[in-house]
Amino acid sequence: MKTEDFSANPQINDLRTSIDNIDASIIFLLAERFRCTRKIGAVKASERLAPVDPEREEKQITRLRQIARIAEFDGDFAETFYRTVSAEVVRQHISAAQRP
Amino acid sequence: MKTEDFSANPQINDLRTSIDNIDASIIFLLAERFRCTRKIGAVKASERLAPVDPEREEKQITRLRQIARIAEFDGDFAETFYRTVSAEVVRQHISAAQRP
């Protein structure tokens, strides 16, 4: 096992540049996604709707798994991604509902 | 607390359509990101490089937190997102290195 100096490997560096661009794009999309969910949270809080909607969540997971298939992407990881984001959304919704 | 029927709320439905589009975009970007990391995994395996590069990971987290600030997005969640993806990448790299 060599030491951790990948700087000399141009192929790895080139791929890492693509990864950096993709990550930045995903962060901006996540920022927009949370702008949407914050608005939903405000509507739910003002109308006293429950912060979690399990039926919607199941539909979204099914849909994301379909999209993952089209993208030749691992459906299990698509679901892991969704659940990670969803847990944060619910946390924010509960926090919004508790605000006076 | 009302029952879970949001279908009558046009504002929530409209925001959910945006969320569905954003999620699909993120899945396609993640698919492309894992295409890149699989190629890196193959290079690392063929050159017998370690599957994990802690220095690169720290640099990426710092960078994603900077991007999160620009996007007015929660830096902690940007890091959570990164660590979720990174754990899967390492899992795949180890698996690639173990292939004969």
Side-chain angles (χ1 to χ4, degrees), chain A residues 4 6 23 33 50 52-53, chain B residues 4 6 23 33 50 52-53:
Chain A
E4 302 302 303
F6 302 124
D23 281 349
R33 192 190 198 283
V52 192
D53 181 355
Chain B
E4 301 303 303
F6 302 123
D23 281 348
R33 192 190 198 283
V52 193
D53 181 356

Side-chain angles (χ1 to χ4, degrees), chain A residues 1 4 6 9 11 16 19-20 22-23 26 29 33-34 37 43 49-50 52-53 56 63 73 81, chain B residues 4 6 9 11 16 19-20 22-23 26 29 31 33-34 37 43 49-50 52-53 56 63 73 81:
Chain A
M1 206 66 89
E4 302 302 303
F6 302 124
N9 190 309
Q11 204 185 344
R16 284 181 167 177
I19 289 169
D20 286 347
I22 291 167
D23 281 349
I26 292 175
L29 283 170
R33 192 190 198 283
F34 278 93
T37 54
V43 174
L49 296 164
V52 192
D53 181 355
R56 157 84 176 156
R63 186 176 165 277
F73 184 60
F81 156 77
Chain B
E4 301 303 303
F6 302 123
N9 189 308
Q11 203 184 345
R16 284 180 167 178
I19 288 169
D20 286 348
I22 291 166
D23 281 348
I26 293 175
L29 282 170
R33 192 190 198 283
F34 278 93
T37 53
V43 174
L49 295 164
V52 193
D53 181 356
R56 157 83 176 159
R63 186 176 165 277
F73 184 61
F81 157 77

Side-chain angles (χ1 to χ4, degrees), chain A residues 43-44 47-56, chain B residues 1-9 12 16:
Chain A
V43 174
K44 284 183 172 181
E47 310 221 346
R48 300 180 63 77
L49 296 164
V52 192
D53 181 355
E55 200 184 312
R56 157 84 176 156
Chain B
M1 207 65 90
K2 293 178 191 170
T3 46
E4 301 303 303
D5 180 20
F6 302 123
S7 55
N9 189 308
I12 288 181
R16 284 180 167 178

